[in-house]
């Protein structure tokens, strides 16, 4: 039986390509001019007090990133989001393969 890496070499290449694109964009991105919901989630992450409409996981993730990398460090937020979103690529591959 072949090892996992040789069996799924193309999947790993696609995953690392997706990761590289997302991390590059995270490092190159600037704060948006129209923050939209970003200000609401920043307030929830910094002050707490979840409302009925907001899902609690994202503000908790923001709070963790702010704790580790500094308050409102958007580059680290975009980087963590890029890494987490690139994990969708192999998951979708395995779902489609089944």
């Amino acid at each position: 039986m072949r090892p996992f890496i040789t069996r799924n070499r193309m999947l790993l290449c696609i995953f690392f390509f997706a990761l590289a694109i997302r991390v590059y964009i995270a490092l190159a991105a600037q704060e948006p001019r129209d923050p939209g919901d970003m200000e609401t989630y920043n307030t929830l992450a910094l002050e707490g007090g979840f409302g009925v409409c907001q899902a609690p996981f994202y503000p908790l993730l923001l709070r963790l990133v702010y704790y580790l990398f500094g308050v409102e460090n958007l580059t680290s937020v975009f980087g963590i989001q890029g890494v987490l979103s690139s994990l969708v690529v192999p998951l979708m591959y395995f779902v489609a393969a089944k």
Side-chain angles (χ1 to χ4, degrees):
M1 182 164 195
R2 296 184 318 186
F4 177 79
I5 293 176
T6 57
R7 270 195 333 244
N8 295 311
R9 189 177 308 214
M10 182 60 76
L11 174 62
L12 287 173
C13 290
I14 293 170
F15 168 72
F16 285 122
F17 182 69
L19 179 65
I21 289 173
R22 285 166 171 82
V23 169
Y24 172 75
I25 290 174
L27 294 175
Q30 302 294 322
E31 184 173 349
R33 293 176 193 247
D34 179 23
D37 291 337
M38 187 182 297
E39 191 64 37
T40 304
Y41 285 117
N42 281 335
T43 304
L44 285 174
L46 296 173
E47 299 173 5
F50 297 108
V52 176
C53 297
Q54 289 86 14
F57 181 72
Y58 185 67
L60 291 175
L61 176 69
L62 282 179
R63 185 176 290 180
L64 176 67
V65 172
Y66 290 162
Y67 176 76
L68 295 174
F69 299 103
V71 175
E72 295 191 21
N73 184 352
L74 295 179
T75 302
S76 62
V77 172
F78 295 153
I80 297 294
Q81 288 176 346
V83 170
L84 291 175
S85 69
S86 66
L87 293 174
V88 172
V89 173
L91 292 175
M92 288 303 295
Y93 171 80
F94 290 125
V95 166
K98 292 288 177 184

